[in-house]
Amino acid sequence: MVKDKFHQNVREALEKDGWNITHDPYFLMLGRRRGYIDLGAEKAIIGAEKAGHRIAVEIKSFVGKSELNDFEDALGQFLVYVPALEDKEPERELFLAVPLTFYNRFFDDPYFLRVAKRYAVQMVVFDEAANIIMQWIK
């Protein structure tokens, strides 16, 4: 499995944000086929009796020839993973990791914000130069 260009950047950004990486990659079944989400992570909830907050993160670089094609591919992958993750671990939330530079260029168009909202795409926006989380979008 080939890791995304920003795999290590996102991993480091999540760790800086207090997340413990539990899976690299996170395996799940897509029907009869094997699938892999880039990372699984958990964050302890201070003072809570239940287990920590769990997420799965699909990382995308958006460095292809067409940002629209890259987004279409990422959206499709995200939507394919959602039901499989719900079957395996319904309490684990799926996020699409998006580089800050791409987010600022692409999502300045309200149409694509509307698309992301319609399909409940949760995003984690990361600064690919500083390796830090800039924003969680639910």
Side-chain angles (χ1 to χ4, degrees), residues 40-98:
E42 185 170 323
K43 189 180 233 184
I45 299 173
I46 307 296
E49 293 178 14
K50 66 179 187 169
H53 187 171
R54 292 187 203 127
I55 60 173
V57 180
E58 181 59 28
I59 304 163
K60 292 295 169 207
S61 296
F62 300 98
V63 294
K65 292 180 181 178
S66 166
E67 289 181 338
L68 179 57
N69 285 344
D70 288 348
F71 178 70
E72 290 169 341
D73 290 346
L75 177 62
Q77 193 171 7
F78 183 91
L79 294 175
V80 167
Y81 288 162
V82 168
L85 188 58
E86 287 172 349
D87 290 345
K88 181 176 181 178
E89 223 179 331
E91 70 283 357
R92 189 177 291 268
E93 292 183 273
L94 181 59
F95 285 85
L96 180 63
V98 178

Side-chain angles (χ1 to χ4, degrees), residues 33-49:
R33 291 167 176 79
R34 295 175 175 267
Y36 298 91
I37 300 172
D38 292 309
L39 296 171
E42 185 170 323
K43 189 180 233 184
I45 299 173
I46 307 296
E49 293 178 14

Side-chain angles (χ1 to χ4, degrees), residues 8-53:
Q8 194 58 37
N9 303 70
V10 173
R11 183 181 173 119
E12 186 178 318
L14 288 168
E15 289 171 336
K16 285 180 181 177
D17 201 46
W19 292 90
N20 177 40
I21 304 302
T22 56
H23 303 81
D24 186 358
Y26 181 92
F27 167 77
L28 73 166
M29 292 299 294
L30 306 169
R32 295 186 310 265
R33 291 167 176 79
R34 295 175 175 267
Y36 298 91
I37 300 172
D38 292 309
L39 296 171
E42 185 170 323
K43 189 180 233 184
I45 299 173
I46 307 296
E49 293 178 14
K50 66 179 187 169
H53 187 171

